[in-house]
């Protein structure tokens, strides 16, 4: 396997998966604003579990990119953290400030009062990206960013996880990760009073740890296997997609349901890397255009995830006031234009904030723009 030679942005199937996952979260958050109860549709109600998909995928990608350097003694922790910080922080900072400004404008206009969490303390822990480490009693400012705080915690523990993977057999690592997931699920339910997959501001660092480790373990398993035939990969890919759709369309949220995500990630990874090795030619332009659009959606998925709360707060408030709709009873036909506007906003944030912000921050912290 030559996984380390493939950059994450070149694994187009996983890029598409990121876009689908981000859109799933957006739909979940928007669903409560309409006159029809969209959250009665199980797959929409389970949309918050797409964040767990991101956690598994993050572990998979981080191990793909950095584990070989770790096992060869070339891993530099502070360079790693700087790169991760540069990847996440510019958009996080801008969206946090943007939401803070929205709160102030809304309060000044008499639209809504300032939330209880609008204070210097919550702003500080948000800016420092530690607001999901058990330091807050509720969501605050750009509420989806709790998961970014959890990601930074997992990044900080990556060397410990990598050392564990390096020192022990894969079956021991896998078993340990599953036991950890189960123990934390019990702990969250019994001591924190909420299922593990519902932890956000309140110790979501416990939610990400086993999932990040399982994601990394999944990559290590894939790396250790001989290359399966393209037919087997396609069957595994189709099967994992089908099982995922059925699971999340039928059953209510459970942390154990999310264990299908590593299978989905691995099969999509193998599908794309198999295509790379076979140099599969591209299809006709009219067939490739929708796929290329999904790839771009994946590229802007982080910006989409981080900006959608701003559009949720603004768009639905404007629609309700201008068209005199009751609160959270907007006609369903508004879903499409609001989603499109959010996607356009995400593309703007990606092009004007995420890409240049990452390069600039890398240049400052690491001394090169890469």
């Amino acid at each position: 396997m030559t996984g380390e030679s493939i950059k994450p942005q070149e694994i187009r199937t996983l890029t598409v998966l990121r876009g689908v996952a981000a859109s799933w979260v957006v739909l979940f958050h928007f669903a409560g604003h309409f006159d029809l109860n969209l959250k009665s549709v199980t797959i929409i109600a389970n949309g918050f579990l797409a964040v767990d998909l991101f956690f598994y995928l993050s572990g998979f990608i981080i191990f793909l990119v950095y584990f070989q350097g770790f096992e060869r003694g070339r891993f530099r922790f502070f360079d790693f953290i700087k790169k991760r910080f540069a990847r996440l922080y510019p958009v996080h900072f801008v969206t946090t400030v943007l939401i803070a400004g929205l709160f102030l404008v809304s309060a000044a206009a008499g639209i809504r009062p300032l939330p209880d969490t609008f204070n210097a303390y919550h702003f500080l822990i948000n800016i420092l990206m530690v607001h999901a480490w058990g330091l807050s009693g509720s969501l605050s400012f750009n509420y989806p960013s709790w998961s970014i705080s959890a990601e930074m915690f997992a990044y900080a523990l990556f060397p410990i996880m990598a050392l564990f993977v390096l020192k022990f057999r894969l079956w021991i690592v896998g078993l340990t990760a599953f036991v950890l997931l189960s123990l934390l699920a019990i702990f969250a339910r019994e001591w924190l009073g909420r299922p593990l997959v519902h932890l956000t501001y309140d110790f979501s660092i416990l939610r990400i740890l086993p999932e990040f480790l399982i994601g990394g373990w999944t990559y290590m398993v894939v790396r250790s296997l001989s290359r399966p035939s393209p037919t087997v990969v396609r069957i595994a890919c189709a099967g994992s997609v089908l099982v995922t759709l059925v699971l999340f369309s039928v059953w209510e949220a459970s942390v154990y349901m999310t264990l299908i995500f590593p299978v989905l990630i691995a099969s999509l990874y193998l599908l794309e890397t198999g295509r790379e090795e076979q140099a599969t030619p591209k299809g006709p332009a009219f067939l490739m255009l929708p796929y290329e659009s999904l790839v771009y959606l994946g590229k802007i998925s982080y910006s989409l995830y981080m900006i959608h709360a701003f559009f949720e707060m603004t768009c639905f408030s404007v629609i309700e006031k201008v068209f005199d709709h009751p609160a959270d009873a907007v006609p369903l036909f508004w879903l499409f234009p609001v989603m499109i506007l959010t996607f356009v906003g995400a593309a703007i944030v990606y092009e004007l904030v995420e890409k240049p912000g990452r390069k600039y921050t890398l240049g400052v912290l690491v001394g090169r723009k890469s």
Side-chain angles (χ1 to χ4, degrees):
M1 298 287 291
T2 58
E4 288 80 358
S5 63
I6 301 171
K7 296 180 180 179
Q9 61 267 28
E10 295 173 345
I11 307 172
R12 292 157 63 85
T13 49
L14 295 185
T15 301
V16 170
L17 183 62
R18 281 169 37 208
V20 171
S23 302
W24 192 13
V25 173
V26 173
L27 180 59
F28 167 76
H29 284 144
F30 286 5
H33 292 280
F34 298 101
D35 53 359
L36 294 179
N37 183 16
L38 291 181
K39 288 190 177 180
S40 65
V41 181
T42 306
I43 196 167
I44 295 177
N46 284 332
F48 67 95
L49 294 174
V51 178
D52 299 275
L53 172 54
F54 280 122
F55 290 163
Y56 287 112
L57 183 57
S58 180
F60 187 94
I61 293 296
I62 292 300
F63 271 78
L64 184 156
V65 175
Y66 292 102
F67 186 80
Q68 187 178 70
F70 183 89
E71 64 184 344
R72 294 182 178 179
R74 296 201 304 262
F75 178 79
R76 298 294 178 265
F77 176 72
F78 287 108
D79 282 348
F80 166 75
I81 287 294
K82 288 173 184 177
K83 290 176 181 178
R84 295 297 88 206
F85 179 85
R87 171 73 177 88
L88 298 180
Y89 198 74
V91 172
H92 169 64
F93 178 82
V94 168
T95 52
T96 300
V97 172
L98 188 63
I99 294 292
L102 177 63
F103 286 158
L104 288 172
V105 171
S106 298
I111 297 174
R112 62 166 68 92
L114 289 173
D116 293 338
T117 54
F118 191 89
N119 53 51
Y121 171 73
H122 282 94
F123 184 76
L124 179 62
I125 62 175
N126 272 267
I127 289 297
L128 296 178
M129 291 197 294
V130 295
H131 50 299
W133 297 17
L135 301 176
S136 176
S138 64
L139 295 170
S140 57
F141 290 90
N142 188 26
Y143 69 85
S145 68
W146 64 264
S147 62
I148 307 307
S149 172
E151 286 277 359
M152 287 303 299
F153 185 83
Y155 294 155
L157 293 185
F158 167 69
I160 297 174
M161 297 185 195
L163 183 63
F164 178 61
V165 172
L166 187 64
K167 295 297 183 181
F168 292 92
R169 294 180 181 273
L170 282 179
W171 72 267
I172 296 177
V173 175
L175 179 61
T176 302
F178 178 78
V179 170
L180 178 62
L181 181 75
S182 301
L183 290 176
L184 289 176
I186 295 171
F187 176 82
R189 185 178 64 248
E190 298 298 327
W191 279 275
L192 299 179
R194 304 177 72 191
L196 185 64
V197 290
H198 286 278
L199 299 184
T200 54
Y201 62 87
D202 49 349
F203 296 103
S204 57
I205 54 178
L206 303 180
R207 180 175 172 181
I208 193 174
L209 282 180
E211 295 178 347
F212 189 94
L213 178 58
I214 290 172
W217 171 80
T218 302
Y219 170 70
M220 297 303 297
V221 170
V222 170
R223 191 181 79 155
S224 68
L225 298 175
S226 57
R227 169 68 63 182
S229 70
T231 301
V232 170
V233 171
R234 285 193 290 268
I235 292 173
C237 191
S240 60
V241 170
L242 180 61
V243 170
T244 300
L245 290 174
V246 171
L247 274 177
F248 293 93
S249 299
V250 175
W251 283 281
E252 294 183 359
S254 163
V255 68
Y256 296 107
M257 287 167 54
T258 68
L259 290 173
I260 189 60
F261 289 149
V263 181
L264 177 64
I265 292 166
S267 59
L268 288 172
Y269 171 78
L270 288 171
L271 181 67
E272 182 66 21
T273 53
R275 287 174 178 170
E276 291 281 341
E277 291 180 359
Q278 297 164 30
T280 304
K282 292 185 176 181
F286 74 94
L287 292 177
M288 292 304 298
L289 182 59
Y291 185 70
E292 293 299 324
S293 300
L294 288 175
V295 171
Y296 185 74
L297 178 62
K299 290 180 178 180
I300 69 171
S301 59
Y302 175 55
S303 290
L304 174 62
Y305 179 78
M306 293 295 283
I307 197 62
H308 79 270
F310 173 81
F311 283 95
E312 179 187 7
M313 294 176 191
T314 54
C315 289
F316 290 107
S317 293
V318 169
I319 292 170
E320 288 167 0
K321 291 187 178 299
V322 171
F323 296 95
D324 197 27
H325 296 304
D328 296 331
V330 172
L332 186 59
F333 66 78
W334 282 104
L335 174 61
F336 182 74
V338 173
M339 290 286 284
I340 292 298
L341 185 61
T342 305
F343 291 148
V344 171
I348 292 172
V349 172
Y350 175 73
E351 298 293 346
L352 299 184
V353 178
E354 183 176 344
K355 286 202 301 185
R358 185 190 315 170
K359 290 181 179 179
Y360 175 79
T361 308
L362 275 176
V364 171
L365 297 179
V366 184
R368 63 178 182 274
K369 297 181 179 181
S370 60

